Amino acid sequence: MVDAGIRARVVRFLNGDFVPEDLARIFLFARDRCDGREPVQEIGDFVAHKAERNKGIVTREVRDWALIAFFMSFFNRHPPGANPYITNRSLPSQFVPWLHATLRRAPPRLRKFPMAKAKKLVETIEQKIVRTNFGTISVERLNAEELDYIDKLTSSFVVRPAFTSDRLFTDLKATLRSSGVLEPKESNAFDQQKRLTELFAVTLMHGCAVDLGDGLNTTLMASDPINGGPISVDAGIPVPNPGGVLLAIATAMYKTELSPQGNMEEDLINAPQPWAFELELRPNGLLCRLG
């Protein structure tokens, strides 16, 4: 049976009467019926638990990014051969999780093998890695072929979002269709509301803390790029730079194709970043400061 309340909210949304609470209820409804569509599940979870995320696709991707950002900084500060104390016997303790995170993101040209075979090789490598008494990692037991594979696999740092706004909207549409609250004949009308759906997700993700583990977290921040690029929600990871000062390396976890102009109120565009305040989507369809 079709949920009459959600159906009424979908119809109101299709008719151009934008009520933020309608989209919130629609996402809550959809997260329990998304059939594995992770972006829909995730935004529904943001509606239910906005303060902090400790599971889901965004948490997983942010944690992977934290490992990658750390090793970007590590290798920048310790290039091969520059420090005699940094050897194959004294790599950081996060080396194994970083290797798995890198594999998850690696394109076929870096992975070299089909994913199943690559995972098996990395698991074999992990079994041969030794944890020293100093809390570091030693890879001295690895053979030349295994060391070469690590070198090639980690030769590039892959940056990617947890998901894009296009994927979110496509998955939400499919979920609403399959659950019966969006009729096939309404497909084009629903497409006209894509921009509002994408911006609504920005308001939910902005300001949410993501648990990185070990008592650490980072806060997702909506971004209006200085060069006028598309609106995104970024995760910044503080890492030491060569001078020893912490530097936040950020990348988008949610990417849209929407420019600030025409999608944000001027006061928000002109506000200093990062925005240490909540955002809302006004009835006029523009992102703005809450309040």
Side-chain angles (χ1 to χ4, degrees), residues 8 21 26 30 70 82-83 86 103 118 147 191 195 233 250 259 273 283:
E21 179 65 15
I26 287 169
F70 172 81
N83 187 337
I86 303 296
L103 178 61
L147 289 170
D191 289 345
R195 185 184 70 86
V233 179
S259 68
Q273 297 186 62

Side-chain angles (χ1 to χ4, degrees), residues 32 40 58 139 141 157 273:
D32 295 328
V40 175
V58 169
V139 295
R141 290 175 56 192
F157 293 100
Q273 297 186 62

Side-chain angles (χ1 to χ4, degrees), residues 14 23 42 56 71 73 90 98 114 132 139 145 151 169 222 225 266:
L14 293 175
L23 265 181
E42 190 75 352
F71 274 90
S73 169
S90 56
W98 169 65
T132 73
V139 295
E145 181 182 358
D151 184 59
F169 185 78
E266 285 298 321

Side-chain angles (χ1 to χ4, degrees), residues 46-115:
F46 272 103
V47 173
H49 312 287
K50 177 175 169 53
E52 184 178 60
R53 300 294 302 131
N54 57 18
K55 63 179 181 179
I57 186 173
V58 169
T59 300
R60 188 168 70 244
E61 290 292 333
V62 171
R63 287 176 176 175
D64 279 359
W65 172 241
L67 289 165
I68 288 168
F70 172 81
F71 274 90
M72 285 173 64
S73 169
F74 175 80
F75 289 123
N76 186 41
R77 289 178 288 121
H78 306 291
N83 187 337
Y85 296 102
I86 303 296
T87 69
N88 283 348
R89 292 177 295 175
S90 56
L91 294 169
S93 59
Q94 303 97 325
F95 183 84
V96 171
W98 169 65
L99 200 57
H100 284 285
T102 301
L103 178 61
R104 283 190 287 271
R105 289 169 168 248
R109 65 178 178 83
L110 293 179
R111 203 171 61 225
K112 188 177 177 182
F113 305 116
M115 181 57 86

Side-chain angles (χ1 to χ4, degrees), residues 113-180:
F113 305 116
M115 181 57 86
K117 183 175 180 180
K119 282 183 176 179
K120 187 68 175 177
L121 179 55
V122 169
E123 288 170 1
T124 299
I125 290 172
E126 181 179 359
Q127 292 170 3
K128 296 173 70 173
I129 283 175
V130 176
R131 287 161 177 80
T132 73
N133 293 332
F134 302 100
T136 58
I137 294 295
S138 170
V139 295
E140 287 191 319
R141 290 175 56 192
L142 302 185
N143 61 40
E145 181 182 358
E146 292 162 342
L147 289 170
D148 182 64
Y149 185 71
I150 291 175
D151 184 59
K152 287 183 170 57
L153 179 65
T154 62
S155 61
S156 298
F157 293 100
V158 178
V159 176
R160 72 179 186 189
F163 53 89
T164 65
S165 59
D166 283 345
R167 181 183 171 193
L168 171 64
F169 185 78
T170 298
D171 284 359
L172 176 63
K173 183 177 178 180
T175 301
L176 298 181
R177 284 279 303 273
S178 65
S179 59

Side-chain angles (χ1 to χ4, degrees), residues 4 8 11 16 18 22 27 35 41 59 64 66 77-78 118 174 181 190 199 208-209 251 254 262 264 278-279 285-286:
V11 170
F18 173 62
D22 284 348
F27 270 112
D35 296 326
Q41 169 82 46
T59 300
D64 279 359
R77 289 178 288 121
H78 306 291
V181 296
F190 191 71
L199 291 175
C208 178
T251 190
Y254 173 66
M264 290 182 176
E278 292 195 40
L279 302 178
L286 298 180

